[in-house]
Amino acid sequence: LLVAIKGCCSKEPGFITGELPILESIFRLFMASGNQPLDLEELGKQLSEWRGVDYYRTSVEFLSRLLESDRYYGLREVQS
């Protein structure tokens, strides 16, 4: 399923849009990248590219708070 999403679905123009909830956009971004880890700055940059200009919801501070409180998507910080 991950291969199909990465190879096909993620290439569709409406895969990630500004109308989606931000956590759904983050989840889809990770699916499109094959679930590769991203730091918050890179995550925000890629979200801005997909969603359009959305400075508040793609800032490092906002993303950090949002991801810390996620209980639905299972998004977790990678321990180095």
Side-chain angles (χ1 to χ4, degrees), residues 18-77:
E19 288 79 36
L20 287 173
I22 191 75
L23 274 174
E24 178 70 20
S25 295
I26 292 169
F27 181 76
R28 289 182 180 204
L29 181 64
F30 280 115
M31 297 295 288
S33 70
N35 203 25
Q36 295 300 308
L38 296 170
D39 63 31
L40 291 175
E41 288 180 11
E42 183 62 26
L43 179 61
K45 178 182 171 201
Q46 288 189 29
L47 282 172
S48 290
E49 290 171 6
W50 277 94
R51 294 175 56 92
V53 178
D54 192 2
Y55 296 113
Y56 172 70
R57 291 185 291 174
T58 58
S59 71
V60 170
E61 295 81 16
F62 182 83
L63 292 172
S64 177
R65 285 192 308 272
L66 187 65
L67 292 170
E68 286 174 3
S69 64
D70 171 52
R71 301 293 177 257
Y72 183 75
Y73 289 96
L75 301 167
R76 299 287 177 259
E77 182 178 354

